[in-house]
Amino acid sequence: MSDLPDTFDYIVWGAGLSECILSAALTRAGHSVLHLDSWQQYGGAWQSPTLRDLESQLAEVAPGARLAWAQPAEADAWRSRSRYFCLDLSPRLCFCRGDTVSALLQSDVSRYLEFLPVSGLYTVDEAGCLERAPVQRGQLFRSDRFSLVEKLHCGRFAEFCVSCQPDRDLADAGSFPELLARHGLRSGPAQRLFALAVGMSPPDSPAETVVAGIRRFLASCGAYGPSPLLVPKYGASEICQAFSRHAAVWGAVFHLGADPDRPPAEARRRLIVSDRFAQSGWLDLGRKRRLFRQILVTDGSWAPRSEDQQDADEVRLAVCMLPGFTRPLLAMELPPETGCCPTGTRVVHLLQPCSPGESPPTDCVQCALAPFTGLRFERLPPCCQCASEPTAANLPTETALDKNLGQSDSTGQPADSAGQPADSAGQPADSVGQRADSMSQTADSVSQPDDSVGQLADSARQPDDSVGQPADSASQPANSTGQPADSAIQPADSASQSADSAEQPADSSGQPADSAGQPADSADQPAAAADDQQPFRKPSCILSVCFVQDDLSDCLNPGALPDNVTVVPSLYSDFDFDVAFQRAKELFDELCPGQEFLPRPPDQEDLVFDQPASEAPTVNGDCGEGENEGAAEAAPPAAPAAEVTPNGDSSESQPENAR
């Protein structure tokens, strides 16, 4: 470092995402930048360390974090594969038409990065079961959780969100459930689809907030494929390294492992400091927001493969509400194709932001997130903080566990979502998620056949009878609440067949006969369809890391800062990268007003200016030998190529025999 200049235009302390973006923008604008960080890796709070690095540096990068192995005897075997892991400290998403992707394309930094689409998007219903969100038109019309009328209303509401004028159409909209009700959508699946899966906001948020998220989501659909969301391969720190490389190409100097108390140079214009290095008094910590984080390494996926799923190793995303929190939980499952874990494993990131001043149900991260993890994974290690099992108040009930896995209770009959076993006649009890179509009239099953026009099948939530085969609609009576039968079961013809189940003979086992008059299979003979389906097994947890991150973006105290100091937030609690890019652009506009933020670099052919061949001196082939020699002597030597460096200077090298 002895050959470094004594002064720079800007000195940046901290190698986080916003700092690296700002460093690249300042260097691209022609300023000299010295970039420093006390850590040995790029990224700061956005690092993606290997398994060994995470264990050795956990206390430094995430104070108060706890790491626990489900089977401590297997820890050494996994440490030997440490380099196959890239465990993000701050994983985030990219919208295909968001500020992140636009800046990457404009600055040509995207050449250093690779992305994968988020193919599976899930929500969680009232019973704690995962449900795949139909965010595409084809998925919506194949979904069995919405009636035909609701599907039409969903399409029209999406068109309304895209074409509406927020100042005019949403001025008196009220809450988001009220806006949905005015468009004919009052069911829980509709609220979870638009508020959580698409808008990524709490369902009871103001309508303007959720509609803004829906508009951003829908605007990104179809940009680079059917999925509107992307994740970077090898972790979020790759984006920090890409902008650092871009800054270094244009003249920035980086020094990792620097001592904050002994800066190697001085800033002529301004000192840009990450909030990790902010002095006491510069920040008002009373306005900080906490982010509960948990990293899980598992041996499989949390969701079974669906019918419309083409690739089993897809990036999955789940958005749901946990008790005691006012903001939704984001659960991200990364397969080995992302480069974040070895083959046969998955990395699951849980992000639970807390609102300012919010008191979570418990300060133990693992116990607070147990309502989600307890339903999805086995062999969870004991609580990292209190060295015990998660509290019973936060664990899901056995009924929810059985329903999530499709298990049966002690009677051998599948339990419904309320925890009641099927009745003695072999008919399953009514499910909480089973809804009658709002446009169809429910009638008594003895006097009126079932209505199959508006009622949609829900095979994943409606369990079969004890023999595994659904009974024919002629023998399937409506339940005592007047709930019509599933539309996957064909209704009886009102002209030729009565809906009264008493007219159908039953065999000795109490099971009704099918439409051909043959008795149903006995209880000890499984159905043929069940033999073809492999039971879904919950994945086992291998490693759990729990910690809390602080979002200090609202804690800046401008009156306490020196005139030549700018503080940059190192972390944001939002689910995407766009906030970091927006903050970096705001600071750049303050420091360099009127200059372009991350302009596109010149093309490679523009960096070297060669003399065109048509302008080069030529020798007349019709001349004699002497004339050719004279012409050759009269022709001046070709000028050497002028190379333009990233700083804009041109240098010419003269050959030794130049005249």
Side-chain angles (χ1 to χ4, degrees):
M1 302 292 291
S2 59
D3 56 345
L4 284 178
D6 295 334
T7 59
F8 288 83
D9 292 340
Y10 296 94
I11 295 181
V12 181
W13 271 102
L17 181 56
S18 296
E19 300 94 292
C20 292
I21 297 171
L22 189 58
S23 177
L26 292 173
T27 308
R28 187 67 181 88
H31 302 286
S32 59
V33 176
L34 175 62
H35 204 138
L36 308 171
D37 199 313
S38 60
W39 291 344
Q40 296 291 341
Q41 292 86 15
Y42 290 97
W46 303 80
Q47 290 186 39
S48 303
T50 62
L51 184 57
R52 288 186 180 273
D53 291 341
L54 181 65
E55 286 188 297
S56 60
Q57 304 173 10
L58 189 60
E60 180 182 4
V61 300
R66 302 296 180 91
L67 185 147
W69 293 90
Q71 298 292 333
E74 302 175 356
D76 291 337
W78 288 108
R79 291 190 185 101
S80 63
R81 308 174 69 183
S82 170
R83 64 187 183 93
Y84 295 102
F85 288 93
C86 293
L87 303 176
D88 269 332
L89 296 181
S90 303
R92 296 296 188 272
L93 301 168
C94 293
F95 283 90
C96 292
R97 297 192 186 277
D99 295 336
T100 303
V101 176
S102 299
L104 291 173
L105 294 176
Q106 177 181 337
S107 60
D108 206 19
V109 179
S110 57
R111 69 172 70 183
Y112 305 126
L113 299 169
E114 295 181 78
F115 293 87
L116 286 179
V118 177
S119 303
L121 191 57
Y122 296 82
T123 58
V124 179
D125 62 9
E126 296 86 350
C129 301
L130 282 174
E131 56 181 9
R132 194 178 181 98
V135 296
Q136 301 175 16
R137 184 181 297 271
Q139 295 176 351
L140 177 62
F141 280 92
R142 289 194 303 268
S143 175
D144 52 8
R145 299 184 182 275
F146 298 90
S147 66
L148 180 59
V149 176
E150 285 180 323
K151 293 176 181 179
L152 297 176
H153 287 330
C154 287
R156 292 172 182 172
F157 180 73
E159 295 176 356
F160 165 79
C161 293
V162 173
S163 60
C164 71
Q165 298 293 333
D167 297 337
R168 180 192 63 190
D169 300 330
L170 302 178
D172 300 327
S175 64
F176 185 69
E178 296 174 354
L179 180 64
L180 279 179
R182 286 199 292 269
H183 287 80
L185 298 172
R186 297 178 176 84
S187 62
Q191 293 185 11
R192 292 191 293 269
L193 170 62
F194 285 103
L196 293 175
V198 180
M200 295 188 179
S201 303
D204 56 352
S205 299
E208 298 88 344
T209 303
V210 184
V211 170
I214 295 175
R215 290 166 63 93
R216 181 176 62 168
F217 186 95
L218 297 178
S220 299
C221 292
Y224 304 103
S227 176
L229 299 173
L230 303 172
V231 294
K233 293 186 66 174
Y234 310 108
S237 65
E238 289 294 306
I239 300 181
C240 302
Q241 296 186 44
F243 278 99
S244 299
R245 180 181 299 181
H246 186 71
V249 167
W250 290 92
V253 178
F254 286 80
H255 181 200
L256 299 180
D259 187 358
D261 298 330
R262 300 177 60 185
E266 295 181 358
R268 288 192 294 265
R269 295 191 177 184
R270 188 165 292 270
L271 179 65
I272 302 172
V273 182
S274 171
D275 57 16
R276 293 192 294 115
F277 303 98
Q279 298 181 5
S280 59
W282 291 3
L283 301 174
D284 183 7
L285 299 181
R287 299 195 299 266
K288 71 176 181 180
R289 288 180 287 185
R290 293 193 298 174
L291 180 65
F292 282 21
R293 286 279 291 111
Q294 186 172 12
I295 304 175
L296 296 175
V297 179
T298 65
D299 62 355
S301 175
W302 68 36
R305 185 168 182 174
S306 58
E307 297 179 358
D308 58 347
Q309 181 180 337
Q310 301 298 329
D311 188 5
D313 295 330
E314 64 179 5
V315 179
R316 293 185 174 94
L317 198 69
V319 186
C320 64
M321 297 296 299
L322 293 186
F325 293 94
T326 58
R327 297 183 62 183
L329 166 77
L330 178 70
M332 186 187 310
E333 182 184 272
L334 303 179
E337 283 69 19
T338 59
C340 297
C341 55
T343 304
T345 61
R346 301 288 191 279
V347 174
V348 179
H349 293 283
L350 302 178
L351 295 84
Q352 177 59 70
C354 302
S355 301
E358 180 181 4
S359 298
T362 175
D363 291 334
C364 177
V365 176
Q366 184 165 336
C367 291
L369 305 183
F372 182 86
T373 58
L375 287 173
R376 312 286 169 250
F377 310 104
E378 294 179 338
R379 289 173 49 184
L380 285 171
C383 178
C384 300
Q385 182 170 342
C386 52
S388 63
E389 296 296 331
T391 58
N394 292 327
L395 283 178
T397 61
E398 291 295 332
T399 301
L401 287 171
D402 293 342
K403 187 176 185 298
N404 185 69
L405 297 177
Q407 296 174 350
S408 301
D409 59 3
S410 58
T411 62
Q413 300 293 340
D416 63 354
S417 59
Q420 299 296 332
D423 56 13
S424 58
Q427 300 298 335
D430 186 24
S431 172
V432 174
Q434 183 73 16
R435 297 175 289 104
D437 184 75
S438 59
M439 302 299 295
S440 61
Q441 299 294 332
T442 57
D444 188 81
S445 60
V446 177
S447 60
Q448 188 172 354
D450 300 328
D451 183 10
S452 63
V453 176
Q455 184 68 20
L456 295 173
D458 194 353
S459 58
R461 301 163 64 89
Q462 183 75 14
D464 299 335
D465 58 7
S466 59
V467 299
Q469 295 290 347
D472 190 86
S473 61
S475 61
Q476 179 81 6
N479 54 31
S480 59
T481 61
Q483 182 76 10
D486 198 318
S487 64
I489 305 172
Q490 297 297 328
D493 188 357
S494 59
S496 60
Q497 190 173 4
S498 172
D500 192 353
S501 60
E503 297 182 5
Q504 294 292 339
D507 60 357
S508 58
S509 62
Q511 299 295 334
D514 58 10
S515 59
Q518 299 295 332
D521 296 334
S522 59
D524 57 350
Q525 293 180 353
D531 295 338
D532 299 335
Q533 297 179 357
Q534 296 294 333
F536 174 67
R537 181 188 65 86
K538 286 198 304 183
S540 298
C541 178
I542 300 173
L543 174 68
S544 173
V545 183
C546 300
F547 55 97
V548 178
Q549 294 177 316
D550 292 333
D551 178 5
L552 306 179
S553 57
D554 296 334
C555 299
L556 183 61
N557 190 2
L561 296 179
D563 295 337
N564 65 333
V565 174
T566 298
V567 177
V568 181
S570 60
L571 187 67
Y572 304 89
S573 58
D574 297 74
F575 292 155
D576 55 87
F577 293 101
D578 290 351
V579 181
F581 279 82
Q582 294 168 3
R583 182 56 179 164
K585 187 178 185 306
E586 292 174 359
L587 293 176
F588 177 81
D589 293 338
E590 295 177 4
L591 300 175
C592 305
Q595 298 192 28
E596 186 179 1
F597 178 72
L598 289 174
R600 183 172 182 83
D603 295 332
Q604 185 176 1
E605 55 269 16
D606 296 338
L607 296 178
V608 179
F609 299 93
D610 290 330
Q611 187 175 8
S614 59
E615 299 178 6
T618 58
V619 178
N620 189 357
D622 297 336
C623 299
E625 183 177 354
E627 295 178 354
N628 284 339
E629 293 177 358
E633 292 179 359
E643 297 184 0
V644 179
T645 63
N647 292 326
D649 302 331
S650 61
S651 60
E652 296 182 0
S653 58
Q654 298 291 341
E656 296 180 358
N657 59 351
R659 297 181 181 178

